[in-house]
Structure formats: structure tokens, C-alpha cells
Amino acid sequence: MRRTSLVFCLLIVSLSLVQQRPSYAAFADGFADSAFRQRWQRADQAVADGQTTRSWVWGQQIGPRSFERYQESPQHNRLTQYFDKARMEISQPAADRNSEWFATNGLLVVEMISGQMQTGDQRFEPRTAANVPIAGDPDSTSPTYASLGPIATTNGYNRSENRQGQRISSVLAANGQISDEPNLAIPNTTIVHYEAVTGHNVPKVFVDFQQSLGDVNNVLGTFGYPITEAYWIDTLIAGQAQRVLFQAFERRVLTYNPKNPANWQVEMGNVGSHYYRWRYATPMHYFQASESKATVSEAGTIALNTEGYQGALVDSQPNDPIFPYKRIDRSKITGYQAKNYRLLKLENRYVTLTMLPELGGRVYQLTNKATGQNLLYQNPVIKASHLGQRGWWLAAGGIEWAAPTEEHGYLESEPWDYRLEQTNDAARVIVSTTERHTGVQIEITVELTNDSQIVNMRGVYRNPTANPQPFQFWMNAMIAPGGINHLQPSLHFVVPTKQMIVHATQDTALPAPQQTISWPNFNNRDLSRYATWNGYIGLFAADNLSGSWAGVYDPALNQGLMLVDLDPNLPGIKTFAFDDQFDRSLYTTDGSDYAELWHGAQCTFWDYPALPAGESRSFEAHWLPLHDLGDLSAGNRFGAVGMARSSTGHLVVAIQPSQAFAATPVTISSEGKLLWQGTLDLKPQQPLRIELENLPYANRPISVEWAGQTQELITP
């Protein structure tokens, strides 16, 4: 059984070690090094400021940073940063920072066409060539990088004759066939340069564009040599069919669209984002700069398509276990109509939350600004499902408050009172209600501080009655990473415990409810991986957590949500998800689904601790949105660490802090052996990703030290 533990300690580093640790001059605006910032600024600052109307050289947005394997670099990896149009690299951080070649521009086009990923001056890792359209929308049927293999010069072959003075009329189809359409031979396609190094002709329109950048960029260092001829292709741009001219260079792809405005007819292809998806099989997220402090406001209303269930509610009788809450007569439910619900908004520089006080005071959306995507499930309809203790339940999505009984409680459809609080360092929404079955008063505070990505929640429940009241309290997050409102097989439940208790399941290979199973591996199945399930499964943590965290993460979408700063003596953790065979029409109309991560003030649904007369209890939960970790391994109030294996088995470590840390020493080691070290700025919007050349074997201890703490993990 693999066990993951989380230990906090002071990081003590000798002076000599600090002096040897590579340091990178990061900026608050998201650039991984000042050299990257200067190079982008020289080429694209004027475009960003509107001082020139030409197209972008690197792109408007700043992408992820990584330390990627490179044999000749210190520690066998080099600092890289991705932009839409390309990737910047620093292979030798101790070299002359004033050199034009200190920060270089990767040969990404060559790698994607050849399928050879470069990991050193003479080292290449074989992969499959990139089946990604070279121009246009991602779902375009235009030629891909892979389809350019037979006509591209990546190994000295496929040279062309010198055709200067001719015009280009060749059309390249998606299947690689080349035809000729003489009407395309317009003056701008006249060939004016023949590159003898690679043997390819370059038309006037591309030469003019390259020369126009001569005062802001090293042209050869930006483009490299041409490695294909220029061809017309058919593609989709914003869903519209377009015919454009393209040419592949070693580092870039250029396109020419005569229908664009004059200064935007020539553009760089999105080589950087194409390469990132090819290399990492995940979307690229961009640095989102925001200086906004935590704020709270009433944000108007939101219209939700709501089933006519209100008129079908039926009063319960005093002898009914749910009294005084209502049952439902399904024969009286009417169709859907748009209904406006009051919307509350909490926001800081990292996160945006919305809440619906009229639907149980729930958190409705939790958007990670780094990705721009909501992590919580949003049912497209408000429907009275067949689930829950009352015989009906509104699976509206978000994070709901479940009380006073097991499952989803009685309160998710009730209107809650609310008030807003704004201070200099935080913003809060406080929702409250009186639970009518027990008379217990509930107040929940949802808080964002100015400088942390963590969403703080604190529930207080008081018993003003003269008798003790059996009472359960849970926070249930319905999670759907990636903004797609649907689970993928890649989903991963990460709970640092050795045993789980079955609550309910359709998986016949699991024991009956209230029986204990080993976790995460049970009968040679890793049940933490959604892809291994054969039916819906609900599980409670059976013993004290070995770490103060639990989470849900999707490595394919590279996003997730976790609880941090948990009391390890208060497990109260439950995981749940439907399987592909479950009838989703019971709660929605579009087949959407979600995973549940519950955090409770008691261990399981079978525990009903009494709340004595006149007493109160409090309960906290701290939620951290996650992205670009590769996979989730551990976390705490300072942030999260992810570990994953690359396609060739190399270990990749990623760190996402919950707040900004400047000039922070980072050290990775295993069993006394130093694997990597550096000093960097860490930012929540921009996780640090490190590919390790000297990697430990699987199931070995690894220490990740950062921001004055150590996280002890076990390698996958």
C-alpha cells in the first residue's frame, strides 16, 4: 500500500547551497525571466499598446513556464516559457544575458513534423508527429504538422529547385495531395528569395513581413530557415471556410490571408500552443494578471431554466420523518420556464465565486481566473430529482450545505438569508437559516482574502432549543473540472488514507455498505481512478487522514479542486460519482454529470452526534482550485504539489502555491540525493513545472521543499 504523508518543517539551507542554486529573474507580470520579458517587449509591446497595427510575434498572452529536460543545461533541464506563437528558452542561465542568443526560440515546427522531441544538442526523444492543424481552428480539416512530413526538409531531404520570379498557385490538401489553381498566383505570392541552406523558396509577402521585423527581432533566430514550400490550404477560421497561404519554417509557421485587414494579412501560426498540446496533451493556460482586492457585491440575477415543481409540493404530516418539509407529487410537476435567481459575487485576483441565496445559499460557481473556467458542476436545469431524503432533491450544482440529516439534507431548495461584509483585507458572504426539523440555527461564512487563492468557509450551528438535537452537517462540492460539465475517465480522487468505507455502489466487486476496503488499491484495482469503476461508488474515509488535504483532479484537463488545512482527526471525507450507465435524466436533461467531494463535521452518514441544548459547534473548509499540476499528489494551506510520469517515464514535479512567494528556494531530493534546486518566484496563476532527468524509481520517497516547508511524497 502506498502512503502519502505531508510534513511541515523549516527549510535550512547552507550559504554555499544558496550560492550554487540557479536563480531566475522573474517578474510580477508573469514572465519567467527578465530576458523573456525584454524579448517579448521589444517585439510585441507596441502591438499591445496600439502603437503599431501589425500582427503578433509572440502573442498577446503569457503562457506556462517549465523546466524541460535538456542534456547540456544545468541539472539537465532548461527554463522555458510558452506563448501562442512560439516558446522561449534559456539553456545556459550563467551565460551573457546581453547576448542576442541568451534567450532562444525553439525549433518547435521541426519537432512536431518529425516527431522527434529535442532534449539536448544531439539528443532526441521519438514521439508521434503532431496531428494538429497547422492553421485555423483546432477542429479544422486542414493539413497537419504530421502530414507535412513527406514534403518538409527536417533531415536534408525534400529540397526544391530555385523558382525565383514565379508565383505560387499550388494547393495542398489535407491528405497531402498537391494540385494547381493558376488563379491563385497573385503578385504577393511572387517568389523573391531562395534559401540554399534548406532548399526552399519564399514568396514576397513572407519576406516583406520578416524584413519588417528586422528592427525588433533577430529574423533567423525568430523564424529559422524555411523547411517547406509555400502552399495554399483550405481551413476554418472562427468556423468560416477560408483559403490561406502558409509556409513552415524551423521555428514558426507564417500564414497569409488576403481577406484580412492589410496589416494583419500575414500572421504567425499558433505554434507555441500547438506544441504545448502535442507535448503535454493538455490545453495551455495563460497568466492572468489582476491586482483587484477581494470584493463582494450583489450582482443582479441569473435566469435558470426551472422545472415547475413548486406547485407539486405536498405538506408532510407530523409523523413523517421529514416533517415539516414537503414531499412531492410528481404527477403535478409542469414544464420548464426561465426563472430569475438573485446572484451574489465574491472576487479577488485569483478566484471569482457566485452564490445563490434563494437556492439553499449555495456557492454556484467557483472560477479559477488562471484558466477562466468554472470548476463546479452547473445543471442546465433546476429539476426535482428522484434522489434525497425527502424523495426529491435539486441537483443544481455548486457547493451545497447539507443538514440536518444524511445525504443531501433538507435545505438545498430553501431560501437563505444573507449579508455582505467588506474589510480592507477580505470580503465575505454570510448566509444563514433556521433548520425547521430540529430548530438548529445555521450560519455559513464564505470568504476571500486579498492575496490568497483559497476559498475559506466556516459553518456555525447553534441549538437554541431546550433539548439536544441529533445533527449532521456537510459541505458537498459537485465538481466538474475543465468547464465541460462532464466527467472524463482520467478523473482522479486523491484521499490520503489507507481505508475507505463503502456507502453505496453498483459495482458488484465491492462489498456491501458499511464494509471497509483498502485504498486506493482494492483487489488489484486502483479505485482512486475513475476509469476503473464498474458502477457508481460512494466511499467515506475510514480512518484519520495521513495528510491535511483531499482533492479531485483530472490529469487530462489538468484541473481540479482540493480541500486543504483539514483537521486530520476529523475525517468527514466522502467521494462519489455516477458511472456511464447511470440514468442522468433523473436529475438533468443533457446527460451532464459530476464528482462529489464531501467534507463533514462527522465521519459518515451513519453518525448523528447530538448537539446539546444551548450549545454551538463550528466547522471549517478551505478550498483550493488547481491547474497545471499534471496530477495531484499532496497539498496544504501553502499550495499543492503534483507528480506525474511523462510518456517516456520521466518524473515531472509541479508546484502551485496558494499565494505569491518571491525568490523562493525550491529543492527536490530523494533518499538524500539532490535531484533539482533553484530560486524562483512562485505564483498561484502560474504553477512551476519541473521535468527531472535523474529520476527515482516508482514507489520511492521524494521530498519537495519550497516556501519554508517540506512535502514528503511517494513517486508514482
Side-chain angles (χ1 to χ4, degrees):
M1 177 63 58
R2 296 186 300 174
R3 181 174 181 176
T4 305
S5 63
L6 187 61
V7 180
F8 299 94
C9 70
L10 293 176
L11 173 60
I12 302 174
V13 184
S14 68
L15 180 60
S16 61
L17 184 59
V18 173
Q19 291 173 337
Q20 295 170 7
R21 180 183 287 114
S23 181
Y24 298 86
F27 277 73
D29 51 15
F31 289 96
D33 190 276
S34 59
F36 294 165
R37 184 182 193 277
Q38 291 165 5
R39 188 157 189 183
W40 180 91
Q41 202 170 36
R42 190 171 63 186
D44 280 346
Q45 188 67 62
V47 183
D49 293 342
Q51 297 174 359
T52 182
T53 56
R54 64 163 170 81
S55 57
W56 300 94
V57 173
W58 300 97
Q60 184 176 10
Q61 296 179 293
I62 304 165
R65 58 176 177 168
S66 297
F67 282 90
E68 296 178 341
R69 288 178 292 111
Y70 203 78
Q71 179 65 22
E72 284 73 28
S73 295
Q75 306 180 111
H76 302 299
N77 57 30
R78 61 181 175 184
L79 179 63
T80 67
Q81 185 151 38
Y82 285 84
F83 302 82
D84 269 338
K85 310 298 182 184
R87 180 186 71 194
M88 294 188 194
E89 311 153 346
I90 296 176
S91 298
Q92 299 299 332
D96 180 8
R97 297 185 68 88
N98 296 317
S99 168
E100 182 66 28
W101 297 95
F102 176 75
T104 55
N105 179 13
L107 300 169
L108 307 189
V109 179
V110 173
E111 292 185 35
M112 286 191 284
I113 293 175
S114 66
Q116 297 292 314
M117 189 175 74
Q118 190 165 11
T119 59
D121 291 349
Q122 302 299 324
R123 290 184 63 177
F124 298 87
E125 181 179 295
R127 304 187 59 151
T128 302
N131 190 27
V132 178
I134 55 176
D137 300 342
D139 58 350
S140 173
T141 57
S142 62
T144 66
Y145 293 92
S147 69
L148 298 183
I151 61 174
T153 304
T154 59
N155 54 8
Y157 298 106
N158 300 321
R159 295 171 62 91
S160 299
E161 296 180 352
N162 188 333
R163 298 191 295 120
Q164 291 190 77
Q166 299 181 29
R167 295 180 179 181
I168 296 170
S169 57
S170 298
V171 178
L172 177 66
N175 62 4
Q177 292 185 346
I178 298 173
S179 59
D180 186 70
E181 296 188 24
N183 62 304
L184 296 174
I186 58 179
N188 270 342
T189 69
T190 303
I191 295 170
V192 297
H193 173 68
Y194 178 74
E195 180 49 64
V197 174
T198 52
H200 287 290
N201 299 276
V202 185
K204 178 180 184 300
V205 67
F206 292 154
V207 170
D208 289 349
F209 181 77
Q210 290 177 321
Q211 291 178 346
S212 73
L213 300 177
D215 59 337
V216 298
N217 254 18
N218 176 328
V219 173
L220 182 61
T222 299
F223 295 90
Y225 294 113
I227 56 175
T228 69
E229 294 293 283
Y231 297 96
W232 293 94
I233 61 172
D234 292 313
T235 188
L236 294 175
I237 300 176
Q240 300 297 313
Q242 301 274 344
R243 175 162 283 180
V244 301
L245 185 73
F246 95 96
Q247 186 162 19
F249 296 76
E250 291 174 308
R251 308 177 193 275
R252 304 291 183 114
V253 166
L254 284 179
T255 63
Y256 167 61
N257 187 346
K259 295 183 178 180
N260 281 354
N263 291 333
W264 286 81
Q265 289 181 344
V266 178
E267 296 182 82
M268 303 277 194
N270 290 332
V271 167
S273 59
H274 293 165
Y275 181 91
Y276 190 88
R277 185 176 286 274
W278 173 66
R279 180 164 181 153
Y280 297 116
T282 62
M284 190 163 82
H285 301 128
Y286 302 93
F287 181 82
Q288 302 295 329
S290 173
E291 297 305 318
S292 60
K293 294 184 177 181
T295 60
V296 62
S297 62
E298 293 182 320
T301 60
I302 183 172
L304 301 176
N305 208 18
T306 302
E307 189 178 53
Y309 70 90
Q310 291 281 1
L313 298 180
V314 179
D315 289 337
S316 61
Q317 300 304 311
N319 62 347
D320 191 326
I322 72 162
F323 181 80
Y325 295 96
K326 296 179 183 292
R327 298 286 184 180
I328 195 165
D329 181 352
R330 295 194 171 275
S331 67
K332 296 181 179 179
I333 295 176
T334 58
Y336 293 94
Q337 290 187 343
K339 180 179 178 180
N340 290 325
Y341 295 89
R342 185 177 292 110
L343 196 69
L344 310 178
K345 183 178 180 182
L346 271 170
E347 183 175 14
N348 68 5
R349 66 190 62 187
Y350 305 124
V351 178
T352 301
L353 267 75
T354 61
M355 296 179 65
L356 299 177
E358 294 163 299
L359 281 179
R362 76 184 62 233
V363 172
Y364 186 55
Q365 300 166 315
L366 197 168
T367 299
N368 182 357
K369 287 187 175 181
T371 65
Q373 292 174 333
N374 172 35
L375 289 164
L376 301 177
Y377 174 68
Q378 288 186 271
N379 199 330
V381 296
I382 306 301
K383 174 183 173 68
S385 77
H386 292 70
L387 309 173
Q389 296 298 300
R390 302 183 310 263
W392 64 280
W393 167 66
L394 300 184
I399 301 176
E400 65 179 2
W401 326 118
T405 185
E406 62 190 88
E407 296 286 359
H408 301 280
Y410 302 152
L411 301 174
E412 92 293 338
S413 64
E414 300 276 311
W416 288 45
D417 297 324
Y418 71 91
R419 67 181 190 274
L420 313 182
E421 285 188 358
Q422 180 78 62
T423 63
N424 290 332
D425 59 357
R428 305 175 188 90
V429 174
I430 300 97
V431 292
S432 59
T433 192
T434 297
E435 196 285 302
R436 291 180 286 142
H437 186 74
T438 60
V440 171
Q441 298 169 343
I442 305 173
E443 181 178 272
I444 298 169
T445 300
V446 181
E447 176 192 70
L448 289 178
T449 60
N450 289 342
D451 299 316
S452 176
Q453 195 179 28
I454 292 175
V455 181
N456 300 304
M457 298 180 183
R458 184 171 187 266
V460 178
Y461 45 105
R462 306 176 181 88
N463 180 8
T465 73
N467 300 307
Q469 299 294 337
F471 195 83
Q472 288 202 18
F473 182 78
W474 295 86
M475 297 180 181
N476 173 31
M478 289 165 268
I479 302 170
I484 61 175
N485 237 27
H486 185 67
L487 301 186
Q488 298 197 131
S490 48
L491 196 77
H492 185 198
F493 294 91
V494 191
V495 183
T497 186
K498 291 191 270 187
Q499 292 182 318
M500 299 284 263
I501 301 171
V502 177
H503 171 237
T505 183
Q506 282 181 323
D507 192 327
T508 57
L510 269 62
Q514 302 192 45
Q515 300 299 306
T516 300
I517 62 172
S518 58
W519 177 267
N521 294 309
F522 176 72
N523 288 348
N524 298 316
R525 289 167 58 195
D526 184 354
L527 291 178
S528 72
R529 304 288 177 175
Y530 184 53
T532 69
W533 289 18
N534 298 313
Y536 67 75
I537 300 176
L539 301 170
F540 294 100
D543 51 13
N544 289 345
L545 304 178
S546 59
S548 59
W549 51 273
V552 173
Y553 198 84
D554 189 325
L557 297 171
N558 227 351
Q559 297 182 53
L561 184 65
M562 73 183 305
L563 286 158
V564 298
D565 217 15
L566 296 174
D567 181 348
N569 297 312
L570 184 68
I573 295 295
K574 180 178 184 268
T575 60
F576 176 83
F578 301 110
D579 72 309
D580 288 341
Q581 305 305 314
F582 189 84
D583 182 4
R584 287 160 174 75
S585 67
L586 291 175
Y587 64 86
T588 190
T589 56
D590 69 344
S592 55
D593 61 357
Y594 53 90
E596 292 179 349
L597 181 60
W598 295 70
H599 187 28
Q602 51 288 312
C603 294
T604 73
F605 285 170
W606 305 291
D607 301 309
Y608 278 88
L611 181 59
E615 291 192 10
S616 65
R617 291 178 184 154
S618 63
F619 177 73
E620 293 188 1
H622 308 277
W623 299 89
L624 176 63
L626 306 171
H627 71 288
D628 288 356
L629 286 175
D631 203 351
L632 174 61
S633 298
N636 56 31
R637 63 189 176 90
F638 295 102
V641 171
M643 288 194 301
R645 294 282 179 182
S646 71
S647 60
T648 53
H650 289 83
L651 185 67
V652 182
V653 176
I655 299 171
Q656 181 194 319
S658 60
Q659 60 190 44
F661 295 97
T664 299
V666 177
T667 301
I668 304 173
S669 59
S670 179
E671 299 177 309
K673 180 180 180 180
L674 180 65
L675 301 177
W676 193 89
Q677 60 180 6
T679 299
L680 308 98
D681 289 354
L682 297 178
K683 308 177 183 69
Q685 313 101 306
Q686 198 176 53
L688 173 65
R689 185 182 185 281
I690 304 164
E691 295 181 357
L692 298 176
E693 178 73 9
N694 299 318
L695 68 161
Y697 297 105
N699 299 319
R700 302 293 288 272
I702 186 169
S703 297
V704 182
E705 303 176 10
W706 60 285
Q709 59 173 315
T710 300
Q711 292 179 313
E712 302 286 354
L713 312 171
I714 299 296
T715 59

